[in-house]
Amino acid sequence: METPNLNASLNVNEGERPAPEGDGQVTQETEEEYIGTSQRWLRFKSAFEMVAKQVGQKWTLEDFKTCIPEWSNDDPGSVIEVHRQMSEYAREATLQEGQKIFQTYKAAWNIDRMDEMIQEARQRRREGQPAESDVWSRDITPATAVRARVVPKLREEVALLKKMEEELLAQQKELTDILNSHRTRRESAAKELNLMMDGLEQAIEHLNAVQQEDIQQFGILTEESMV
């Protein structure tokens, strides 16, 4: 089977492709309903559409006629129309399933990101910049590359946790001071209340100790003094 020419079959022509901004760098910030813009993604999508078209044409009209020879002889026009509809259905079904897979794995987003990284790497190579510590190269081991990526992230997490710890300690100290202040005020109020209760008990005891006759005499004297 002859290998198809992908460049000749792409739905998007070279002259019609939008030029990527900033040497192909992706400018969109969200993955939701993302529309790929890089040439790498457009070529990938067009190649998939070409494959879906080939799937629809895989079962040729002649192969279809061999399955229903009598109907093909009696009504060839209807057979051709049914074959066309089946081919179109196979193509559309393949495109729909492929689109679901692309959305599930965020194909456009990730392929554009890959294209962006490739463009950046090419730019660094053109400018003669040395590779960064977290950039993969042929002479770097996977463990070294992983450490270069993970260690800075871990340091950021440690710094964040230390900051959170300091904030929690400050809040704890503030709460402790408030509780100590409330306890001091509560103890002072308790002492004042105890003094008041002691005075009240003494007054009650004093009144109980006074003779009933003295109280009556005091009442008479009070009335006489008011007349």
Side-chain angles (χ1 to χ4, degrees):
M1 181 178 179
E2 182 181 356
T3 303
N5 186 350
L6 295 180
N7 292 331
S9 304
L10 293 178
N11 293 340
V12 181
N13 297 327
E14 293 292 339
E16 298 175 353
R17 290 194 183 93
E21 300 179 5
D23 294 332
Q25 293 186 356
V26 179
T27 58
Q28 289 174 275
E29 298 298 335
T30 176
E31 299 180 31
E32 299 297 332
E33 299 181 358
Y34 181 81
I35 300 176
T37 56
S38 67
Q39 290 190 10
R40 195 175 302 275
W41 161 250
L42 295 176
R43 287 179 179 274
F44 177 84
K45 181 181 179 182
S46 299
F48 173 74
E49 292 174 352
M50 183 199 66
V51 171
K53 182 178 180 181
Q54 290 181 344
V55 169
Q57 297 174 350
K58 185 70 174 179
W59 199 12
T60 64
L61 178 61
E62 297 301 324
D63 294 336
F64 184 57
K65 287 182 177 180
T66 57
C67 298
I68 45 175
E70 295 183 0
W71 188 27
S72 300
N73 294 328
D74 295 341
D75 193 358
S78 297
V79 171
I80 294 174
E81 178 62 20
V82 170
H83 176 265
R84 185 192 67 77
Q85 293 180 5
M86 291 178 63
S87 299
E88 183 66 18
Y89 174 79
R91 187 184 72 85
E92 290 295 331
T94 303
L95 289 174
Q96 291 178 6
E97 291 300 319
Q99 187 64 26
K100 291 180 181 178
I101 295 174
F102 295 160
Q103 292 178 353
T104 299
Y105 294 97
K106 299 180 177 63
W109 174 275
N110 289 314
I111 290 177
D112 276 7
R113 290 298 174 277
M114 180 180 67
D115 184 75
E116 179 181 345
M117 289 186 290
I118 292 174
Q119 295 292 343
E120 290 177 355
R122 288 176 176 173
Q123 182 66 25
R124 288 196 300 269
R125 178 178 297 179
R126 286 194 295 267
E127 296 175 356
Q129 299 179 8
E132 299 177 1
S133 59
D134 60 349
V135 177
W136 181 88
S137 61
R138 294 182 182 275
D139 58 346
I140 193 173
T141 62
T144 303
V146 170
R147 284 196 298 270
R149 286 280 186 178
V150 173
V151 170
K153 295 296 182 181
L154 292 177
R155 289 174 178 170
E156 292 178 3
E157 292 295 329
V158 170
L160 179 60
L161 291 174
K162 287 183 177 179
K163 182 179 179 182
M164 292 175 60
E165 181 185 12
E166 293 175 355
E167 293 177 353
L168 290 174
L169 290 175
Q171 293 177 3
Q172 182 182 8
K173 184 179 181 303
E174 182 179 357
L175 291 175
T176 302
D177 294 341
I178 293 174
L179 291 175
N180 290 335
S181 175
H182 288 174
R183 182 175 59 186
T184 302
R185 292 169 59 185
R186 185 176 65 252
E187 292 175 351
S188 178
K191 289 180 180 180
E192 293 180 2
L193 180 60
N194 289 334
L195 292 174
M196 293 174 63
M197 293 299 296
D198 291 342
L200 180 60
E201 290 177 357
Q202 292 176 4
I204 293 173
E205 291 177 357
H206 180 70
L207 289 174
N208 291 334
V210 176
Q211 296 295 328
Q212 185 68 25
E213 294 180 357
D214 295 337
I215 296 176
Q216 292 178 355
Q217 183 67 27
F218 177 76
I220 293 171
L221 294 174
T222 303
E223 289 179 358
E224 291 178 351
S225 62
M226 295 176 62
V227 174

